[in-house]
Amino acid sequence: NAGVTQTPKFRVLKTGQSMTLLCAQDMNHEYMYWYRQDPGMGLRLIHYSVGEGTTAKGEVPDGYNVSRLKKQNFLLGLESAAPSQTSVYFCASSYRGLAGLSYNEQFFGPGTRLTVL
Amino acid sequence: AQSVTQLDSHVSVSEGTPVLLRCNYSSSYSPSLFWYVQHPNKGLQLLLKYTSAATLVKGINGFEAEFKKSETSFHLTKPSAHMSDAAEYFCVVSVAGGFKTIFGAGTRLFVKA
């Protein structure tokens, strides 16, 4: 199993350009997540999905859009990149927890380092 | 509301000495608690997890953590540090099926030879 993969690994954009980050998982997980990691701030949730065709906003959703057309893929889009979006982006996935339990171990991809000039 | 506080941004130990990384949390509901490790330029890897079973949790690479509800703490320990333990460690609280997943700011562990 490849686990969680992300493409691309690195990208440099100019302000105003658009791009899409792709996340794929081969573990048949129901839930998928997009985070950004900035120095001294841990990881912050951008958007998440609880199943194919569904998405929801996380803690810092502004400036991003997502889609989950297939269970194994979760796309993160930047329509008009800004320097404030310079960050490392991580995708994660997890099984759905049993009813009444909050157990939820997440599996992470290797990250995409994005620089917006 | 949920929150996680990692009490030290940096910890430095000598190889072979004990490691203590401190984490306090707050949660309105029964939380699940996790420690993840991130080596440079890598993704996050699960070290261990607490899910309301045993309060002393053993993880990979000799790490363990104790859930103390009265102190709202979940500190990570290891009896003897190894050079390969040098990394950043994140304490995480998760409730409501994982939708509310809050990461601590991270503690960077340095291991001196």
Side-chain angles (χ1 to χ4, degrees):
Chain A
N1 287 348
V4 180
T5 58
Q6 294 182 232
T7 53
K9 288 185 169 54
F10 303 94
R11 185 72 186 268
V12 178
L13 291 178
K14 294 181 179 178
T15 297
Q17 287 185 316
S18 63
M19 76 163 296
T20 300
L21 283 67
L22 172 64
C23 175
Q25 53 94 4
D26 61 2
M27 297 173 281
N28 202 34
H29 286 169
E30 292 87 357
Y31 299 163
M32 296 187 74
Y33 313 81
W34 275 108
Y35 294 91
R36 59 178 289 171
Q37 183 179 31
D38 301 294
M41 301 185 74
L43 274 71
R44 292 180 292 168
L45 183 63
I46 304 171
H47 287 279
Y48 64 96
S49 168
V50 301
E52 184 178 323
T54 70
T55 64
K57 294 180 180 179
E59 181 185 357
V60 288
D62 294 342
Y64 306 94
N65 56 76
V66 289
S67 65
R68 191 158 177 210
L69 301 179
K70 295 182 179 180
K71 185 177 183 179
Q72 63 269 32
N73 295 337
F74 195 29
L75 278 64
L76 177 71
L78 286 73
E79 291 186 346
S80 178
S84 61
Q85 294 178 303
T86 293
S87 187
V88 181
Y89 291 86
F90 287 98
C91 176
S93 68
S94 68
Y95 289 109
R96 179 175 58 211
L98 295 176
L101 297 179
S102 59
Y103 164 77
N104 191 359
E105 170 191 347
Q106 297 184 18
F107 295 80
F108 285 83
T112 295
R113 188 172 296 276
L114 174 66
T115 300
V116 182
L117 302 176
Chain B
Q2 290 72 234
S3 68
V4 177
T5 303
Q6 291 184 240
L7 298 171
D8 306 291
S9 59
H10 299 85
V11 170
S12 182
V13 301
S14 298
E15 191 174 23
T17 64
V19 175
L20 170 63
L21 305 183
R22 298 182 295 165
C23 173
N24 286 351
Y25 73 92
S26 69
S27 176
S28 305
Y29 306 95
S30 295
S32 291
L33 294 161
F34 308 82
W35 276 98
Y36 286 86
V37 60
Q38 184 181 30
H39 288 94
N41 300 314
K42 299 289 186 183
L44 278 73
Q45 179 186 17
L46 182 70
L47 274 179
L48 49 81
K49 60 194 175 200
Y50 166 78
T51 57
S52 74
T55 56
L56 183 61
V57 182
K58 294 188 183 300
I60 62 171
N61 300 334
F63 285 95
E64 62 181 40
E66 186 171 7
F67 173 71
K68 291 186 176 181
K69 187 174 182 179
S70 60
E71 298 176 10
T72 61
S73 68
F74 191 57
H75 301 335
L76 182 70
T77 60
K78 183 174 181 177
S80 176
H82 190 273
M83 295 298 288
S84 61
D85 294 328
E88 187 149 24
Y89 293 79
F90 293 95
C91 182
V92 180
V93 61
S94 177
V95 294
F99 306 148
K100 293 186 183 295
T101 299
I102 307 298
F103 283 75
T107 297
R108 185 165 295 277
L109 176 65
F110 297 94
V111 182
K112 298 175 290 187

